[in-house]
Amino acid sequence: MLEEKISRRTFLKATALAVGALSVGAVGTFSFETWKGKRAEAERKDDIRVIPTLCAACSNYCGLNVYVKNGRVWRAVGLPQHPKSKGKICARGHGLLATPYLRQRLTQPLKRMEDGSFQPISWEQAFREIGEKLQEIRTKYGPGVIAHISYSGRKTARWYGERLLWALGSPNTFTHDASCNTGRVVGFEHTVGGTPGTDIANARYMVYMGRNLAEGITPGDVFELAKAREKGAQIVVVDPRGNNMYQMATKWVPIRPGTDLAFVLALAHVLIREGLYDAAFVKEYGYGFEQFAQAVEKYTPQWAEEITGVPAATIEEVARGLGKNKPRAFIHPGWRGPTGNSYANSVDTARTVALVNALLGNYQKEGGLIFGKNPPFGNLDPAKYPAPEKPALPRVDNEWTLPHNVVTAVPDKIRDGALKAIIVNSSNPVMHYNNPLYAREAYKLLELLVVVDIFMSETAELAHYVLPEVSYLERDDVVEGIGGKKPVVALRQQAIGKIHPETKASWEIYRGIAEAAGVGKYFNFTIDELNQAMLAPTGLSLNELKAEGTVVLNSPLLLGTPNFETPTGKVEFYSTNFKAAGFDPIPNWKPPLVMPDVSKGEFRLINGRQAYHSHTNTTRNPYLLALTEHYHGDRLWINRRVAKRMGLKEGDWVEVRSEAATARVQVHLTEAIHPEAVFIYAPYGSLAKDAPGRNFAFSFMTLLPYHKLDPVSGIAMTQEIVVTLRKI
């Protein structure tokens, strides 16, 4: 087994180098001549194959060259041409190479019995019974009670899941986006028509609000950030916590958590008041600027200081830094954090960030924000491969008109009887999207829950059927497109043979369910045939793509003229879609849903990404958990001065209590966190019975009260948590 051949110490050394290198954005130079000679000798003696594919440690899906030695995964290096990896792999990517060989993998189809135990069954029985149950539910209630949930990064699951749901007549396909970035997507989409990328390498002044590139790692972005810093770029990190980007930052602004909207409104105020905005850009591309400018007159830096705790002089300094360096300046759109899914004001924070960038005139400009060019993908020939029609039924979450899917609403829809059957692929909705205890009780009410996964997750433990998928190194997936200055096509392809013969790739599983449910005619193709059809407009053959793994198309984006896909075709300082939906068309100050009372010893519990974990699935990896142990990565951060007043010292155990639950954890004392907040990394505290991650810290989601969902975006507002601490 791979897990038996790699020592814990060796892995710690290797991944510590990866974590450290990506944190500072540079890799030291070492002499490996002796080692290279020994490796070359080994390669002459063994059967070595190199397969270009894609990582699966997070949604970046970085390009990899996987070295397979005598049929087993040996090592991997980053693909230089892949825009996310640029030749590098993070600690998570290294650790996940062990995934095919982990002992906790699901190895055969399982059926839950009446007593709650699981019994192995054949694929034939699983497909037949699932298909029959889907037909029974569709006949009894109609197709609108069936749903599909997947991780948004898994294009194969999304593509096949939607096709299956459409074939059954249901429009209810969901992804995990509401747990990460729906606030940002809604804010940007209805302001500038979509979420752009950032031209880090050419920027002179950058502001990152709650965005942590050094731990929510995109290796290519980290290296570009380091290069920009070397060229003199100013990098401002606005975050209640001094995250690992601090090592590259020129300024850290420790803001009171939940008040980022006030900070950005004050930036807009200064840019307009001092004439630092791009008036020509706003005149040509702006809609409703006068109303916005009037609205932000009252949001002075002095006003924002009272709310954010950031000195007015600092707010003015940042605004002037942005204005004087425009258009090679930007505020990053964010991911999770203050613009993503965290607060009652996340959507308006995202809207205002989009508008401040418009004031800088930086859209489609070097050093600014860029709507990338995507590869031109094709479709299957409907004459040969019939496609189901898009269902005319309304979605179950149609009361939200601005977002595309509100997966956070699924527990309530189950409780209301609007959903009866759900298929889940590569996702863990019980744990990730809302309060897990509330969600778990809801999912128990389903008449059919099918989970496709490689591990027994919290959601799988409730399923009627658990279908084991092959790991990411054992399968081909649907081709990926990556937008940018040049469009990129990438492919995850099988690198090794199946480890467990009774596992299947997702596309095979969907075809089996479809045939059993009576809609198999819509799945009369292989994944190779699908990929060939998609690639046809690019001029690439599937064999060419398999040989390279990642191909950059020679079709450069022309910068200079932005295209805003909004109803007015302009940057909407006054949002017509928000107005039509009954919401404020102009972003104004809105406080967080809850605020800690410092006089009562309350804190806001905040959370974020860790450099060597992504989601709960990575906490099943013994090598990545070894990093957690080695670096005490599962401790609760607390301000050192506050901790001293409480009589706490490093490593002490405390009870963390919210209105929803209590938890136990050790503390980490540091100056690098706002005194009104405590911080925990996100992936710990699994509730699954056999998950090693349940022995580390706690899941912040279990302490999240089940709030009414944000009426604009449907996000669960996952940092609207007030807690108290007690030493134990």
Side-chain angles (χ1 to χ4, degrees):
M1 289 290 191
L2 180 63
E3 61 188 81
E4 295 166 345
K5 291 185 177 181
I6 299 178
S7 74
R8 181 173 178 271
R9 178 174 295 179
T10 299
F11 180 77
L12 282 172
K13 287 181 178 179
T15 49
L17 283 173
V19 172
L22 286 168
S23 295
V24 300
V27 178
T29 302
F30 301 92
S31 174
F32 286 124
E33 293 307 314
T34 302
W35 175 79
K36 286 167 64 179
K38 291 181 178 179
R39 189 185 73 186
E41 181 181 353
E43 290 181 358
R44 285 194 296 271
K45 293 180 179 179
D46 295 299
D47 173 25
I48 306 292
R49 295 184 301 118
V50 182
I51 297 93
T53 188
L54 300 177
C55 184
C58 70
S59 58
N60 283 324
Y61 290 168
C62 291
L64 303 176
N65 265 330
V66 175
Y67 285 69
V68 178
K69 180 178 179 180
N70 297 327
R72 299 178 63 81
V73 177
W74 179 29
R75 65 188 183 96
V77 297
L79 277 179
Q81 71 269 31
H82 195 283
K84 304 285 182 137
S85 56
K86 293 191 175 176
K88 306 298 177 183
I89 307 174
C90 74
R92 296 174 296 195
H94 282 293
L96 255 69
L97 294 174
T99 300
Y101 308 104
L102 294 181
R103 292 172 180 154
Q104 291 181 326
R105 280 191 59 189
L106 295 165
T107 61
Q108 53 192 327
L110 300 173
K111 178 180 180 179
R112 183 159 58 85
M113 311 308 290
E114 289 187 4
D115 63 0
S117 64
F118 283 91
Q119 175 182 316
I121 59 175
S122 68
W123 280 104
E124 291 75 15
Q125 180 183 347
F127 287 149
R128 182 181 70 255
E129 293 182 4
I130 292 169
E132 289 173 351
K133 191 65 176 179
L134 284 170
Q135 292 187 71
E136 174 191 325
I137 289 172
R138 185 169 62 159
T139 300
K140 185 176 180 180
Y141 303 106
V145 300
I146 304 171
H148 181 272
I149 301 174
S150 66
Y151 181 51
S152 63
R154 277 296 308 278
K155 186 171 182 179
T156 302
R158 285 165 48 210
W159 195 95
Y160 277 86
E162 181 176 82
R163 194 175 182 92
L164 175 61
L165 265 287
W166 285 19
L168 294 171
S170 173
N172 299 318
T173 56
F174 297 91
T175 71
H176 85 293
D177 286 349
S179 71
C180 283
N181 56 29
T182 290
R184 181 203 68 172
V185 170
V186 170
F188 268 79
E189 180 176 331
H190 298 289
T191 303
V192 294
T195 307
T198 52
D199 187 12
I200 296 171
N202 295 305
R204 296 185 183 132
Y205 198 98
M206 294 170 266
V207 177
Y208 291 86
M209 301 181 62
R211 182 67 171 121
N212 181 3
L213 296 183
E215 291 185 274
I217 298 173
T218 302
D221 284 353
V222 175
F223 285 107
E224 283 198 357
L225 194 66
K227 290 176 182 176
R229 180 71 182 88
E230 290 172 1
K231 292 189 295 184
Q234 300 295 295
I235 302 166
V236 179
V237 173
V238 181
D239 198 313
R241 182 176 72 102
N243 66 57
N244 275 2
M245 278 186 66
Y246 178 80
Q247 299 176 72
M248 290 176 281
T250 53
K251 191 176 189 65
W252 172 40
V253 179
I255 192 170
R256 179 175 287 127
T259 66
D260 303 78
L261 174 58
F263 180 85
V264 189
L265 286 168
L267 293 181
H269 171 96
V270 175
L271 288 169
I272 296 171
R273 182 189 71 193
E274 299 189 2
L276 293 171
Y277 72 100
D278 189 333
F281 183 93
V282 169
K283 182 178 180 180
E284 182 174 1
Y285 296 108
Y287 174 81
F289 171 71
E290 292 77 13
Q291 294 98 314
F292 175 76
Q294 183 177 1
V296 300
E297 280 184 7
K298 57 183 175 291
Y299 299 130
T300 66
Q302 291 73 25
W303 166 85
E305 178 177 349
E306 292 296 315
I307 293 172
T308 65
V310 178
T314 299
I315 296 172
E316 290 172 339
E317 175 192 338
V318 174
R320 290 164 186 159
L322 288 166
K324 291 176 181 179
N325 286 281
K326 66 178 185 301
R328 294 179 183 267
F330 61 75
I331 304 179
H332 193 282
W335 186 256
R336 294 175 77 237
T339 64
N341 71 336
S342 298
Y343 303 109
N345 57 25
S346 285
V347 173
D348 281 331
T349 304
R351 293 170 70 190
T352 311
V353 167
L355 293 175
V356 169
N357 281 300
L359 292 175
L360 302 175
N362 65 12
Y363 288 96
Q364 298 307 88
K365 302 285 181 62
E366 283 197 349
L369 302 188
I370 295 176
F371 295 104
K373 189 174 184 179
N374 293 308
F377 284 147
N379 297 302
L380 290 164
D381 180 359
K384 187 176 181 181
Y385 308 108
E389 293 184 3
K390 183 176 181 178
L393 289 174
R395 292 176 56 90
V396 294
D397 58 349
N398 66 344
E399 64 261 45
W400 284 274
T401 58
L402 297 178
H404 297 296
N405 75 84
V406 183
V407 70
T408 44
V410 168
D412 286 330
K413 297 302 179 182
I414 297 171
R415 289 170 182 263
D416 293 344
L419 290 176
K420 300 290 186 180
I422 299 179
I423 299 172
V424 176
N425 188 315
S426 307
S427 189
N428 191 7
V430 164
M431 201 67 187
H432 289 165
Y433 306 148
N434 222 308
N435 179 282
L437 304 179
Y438 183 90
R440 185 160 60 181
E441 293 307 306
Y443 278 81
K444 288 179 182 178
L445 302 175
L446 288 168
E447 294 185 19
L448 177 65
L449 176 59
V450 179
V451 172
V452 181
D453 211 325
I454 62 173
F455 296 118
M456 184 63 81
S457 68
E458 287 83 353
T459 308
E461 287 183 344
L462 304 179
H464 299 95
Y465 298 90
V466 182
L467 306 181
E469 190 182 21
V470 293
S471 74
Y472 75 107
L473 294 172
E474 302 168 77
R475 66 174 186 250
D476 290 346
D477 272 338
V478 175
V479 292
E480 300 277 343
I482 306 166
K485 289 185 177 180
K486 287 186 177 181
V488 176
V489 180
L491 177 69
R492 175 177 291 112
Q493 62 180 317
Q494 186 173 353
I496 58 173
K498 280 187 187 181
I499 303 300
H500 303 288
E502 288 300 307
T503 55
K504 291 182 181 290
S506 276
W507 68 271
E508 297 176 288
I509 294 172
Y510 284 105
R511 187 166 66 179
I513 293 174
E515 289 173 351
V519 292
K521 67 180 181 179
Y522 298 116
F523 293 82
N524 63 336
F525 51 87
T526 66
I527 196 165
D528 278 358
E529 290 170 325
L530 171 59
N531 282 336
Q532 286 166 352
M534 292 181 67
L535 287 173
T538 71
L540 278 174
S541 71
L542 183 56
N543 286 337
E544 288 172 327
L545 183 57
K546 286 185 174 183
E548 298 295 328
T550 297
V551 175
V552 180
L553 302 181
N554 188 22
S555 178
L557 175 70
L558 297 177
L559 296 179
T561 304
N563 177 30
F564 299 108
E565 296 184 1
T566 60
T568 60
K570 296 178 179 292
V571 174
E572 295 205 352
F573 289 90
Y574 182 101
S575 173
T576 54
N577 283 340
F578 270 68
K579 177 68 174 177
F583 302 115
D584 192 342
I586 297 171
N588 276 287
W589 168 243
K590 177 194 293 183
L593 189 67
V594 297
M595 286 293 290
D597 186 337
V598 178
S599 68
K600 295 180 179 179
E602 294 178 344
F603 302 87
R604 184 183 295 278
L605 175 62
I606 60 176
N607 63 84
R609 286 288 184 89
Q610 193 165 43
Y612 41 87
H613 283 295
S614 294
H615 302 288
T616 51
N617 69 317
T618 65
T619 60
R620 293 177 177 272
N621 186 296
Y623 306 111
L624 298 179
L625 283 177
L627 288 173
T628 297
E629 288 185 301
H630 187 76
Y631 293 110
H632 302 302
D634 58 342
R635 292 189 177 182
L636 182 78
W637 290 33
I638 183 171
N639 184 276
R640 187 182 304 278
R641 288 168 291 172
V642 175
K644 185 177 180 180
R645 292 198 298 268
M646 297 176 66
L648 295 173
K649 60 182 183 298
E650 183 70 27
D652 277 351
W653 285 88
V654 296
E655 177 189 77
V656 186
R657 178 181 294 273
S658 75
E659 66 176 85
T662 61
R664 296 174 70 253
V665 69
Q666 290 178 278
V667 294
H668 168 56
L669 278 54
T670 175
E671 296 291 338
I673 188 167
H674 196 282
E676 296 177 19
V678 288
F679 170 89
I680 192 76
Y681 281 111
Y684 298 108
S686 172
L687 301 179
K689 294 175 183 176
D690 68 340
R694 71 180 295 155
N695 300 318
F696 291 78
F698 62 89
S699 167
F700 73 93
M701 294 293 282
T702 61
L703 272 70
L704 175 68
Y706 189 74
H707 305 299
K708 186 177 180 181
L709 300 176
D710 173 41
V712 179
S713 65
I715 59 175
M717 301 171 286
T718 56
Q719 301 201 51
E720 296 281 16
I721 311 174
V722 170
V723 299
T724 56
L725 305 185
R726 180 178 66 87
K727 183 178 179 180
I728 55 177

